[in-house]
């Protein structure tokens, strides 16, 4: 019912914009959705659903291989982003040059519209420019809400399968199959919360991708766009930093 009301309001405002606004303003009312990289020979390794316990190890594996990753973080999903042992991992990933991006606050369907951008900017100083909606699901209401927050949507064109029952070996086979097709680019989906991904699939995929000549970059770099809307000093934790 709430959704219907919002959708009706959106349709009404969209109709008004259509009647009066320029094409540029119309485009800005709906976030752009990207599913593939656009810069040739680049692969984006992305990790959803963190921050979680394996994050530092994933960052270290990426660093050891000269690779960059992108983390679509939740505010409160498997762990609370403000927890004293989790917050530093978010900062660690950011400080090591990996991209931090939004995966919404609580990983609920995005029509509930709650966000984690504030937490990310408090912890890292960077205000994200990218969101991946939970389950990759979006409609015009989601695109409008993302655009209001200055976010573009980044989905994927390759799923390792690690959140839908694939074993690490199956995920590795999935990587092999895609690499053997020699695509110009790959925008991957992996999950930070899977130990098999962190410790088995990721090291393997990095070696295969590098051997195939790909550059392993952030989502922003594989799209030739900015990773953040703004960058400032991080905040100082206080009692309001809580889930
Ligand atoms: Zn997710």
């Amino acid at each position: 019912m709430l959704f219907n009301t919002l959708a009706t309001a959106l349709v009404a405002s969209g109709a008004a914009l259509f009647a009066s606004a320029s094409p540029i303003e119309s485009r800005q009312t709906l976030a752009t959705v990207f599913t593939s990289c656009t810069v040739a020979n680049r692969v984006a390794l992305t990790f959803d659903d963190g921050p979680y316990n394996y994050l530092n190890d994933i960052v270290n594996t990426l660093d050891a291989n000269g690779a960059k990753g992108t983390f679509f973080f939740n505010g409160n999903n498997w762990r609370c982003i403000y927890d004293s042992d989790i917050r530093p991992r978010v900062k660690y990933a950011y400080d090591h040059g990996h991209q931090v991006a939004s995966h919404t606050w609580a990983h609920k369907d995005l029509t509930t519209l709650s966000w984690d951008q504030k937490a990310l900017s408090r912890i890292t100083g960077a205000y994200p420019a990218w969101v991946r909606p939970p389950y990759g699901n979006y409609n015009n209401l989601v695109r409008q809400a993302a655009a209001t927050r200055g976010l573009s949507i980044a989905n994927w064109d390759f799923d390792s399968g690690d959140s839908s029952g694939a074993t690490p070996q199956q995920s590795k086979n999935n990587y092999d199959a895609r690499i053997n097709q020699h695509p110009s680019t790959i925008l991957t989906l992996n999950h930070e919360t899977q130990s098999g991904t962190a410790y088995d699939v990721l090291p393997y995929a990095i070696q295969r991708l590098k051997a195939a000549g790909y550059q392993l970059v952030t989502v922003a770099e594989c799209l030739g766009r900015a990773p953040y809307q703004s960058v400032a000093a991080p905040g100082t934790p206080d009692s309001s930093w809580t889930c």
Side-chain angles (χ1 to χ4, degrees), residues 139-223:
N139 56 17
N140 278 357
L141 181 64
V142 168
R143 291 177 67 192
Q144 196 254 1
T148 296
R149 291 161 177 80
L151 296 165
S152 298
I153 294 173
N155 275 346
W156 59 88
D157 58 18
F158 169 83
D159 181 355
S160 74
D162 63 352
S163 73
S164 49
T167 64
Q169 186 58 54
Q170 287 168 334
S171 288
K172 289 193 278 190
N173 293 345
N174 291 340
Y175 269 100
D176 283 338
R178 180 59 61 92
I179 292 165
N180 289 340
Q181 294 168 349
H182 306 294
S184 173
T185 64
I186 312 174
L187 206 175
T188 73
L189 171 67
N190 309 274
H191 289 81
E192 191 193 309
T193 49
Q194 301 286 335
S195 64
T197 292
Y199 300 110
D200 190 356
V201 178
L202 178 62
Y204 178 84
I206 287 174
Q207 294 313 319
R208 286 296 324 273
L209 289 163
K210 286 175 72 173
Y214 290 107
Q215 200 182 351
L216 305 180
V217 301
T218 65
V219 162
E221 288 167 333
C222 91
L223 287 161

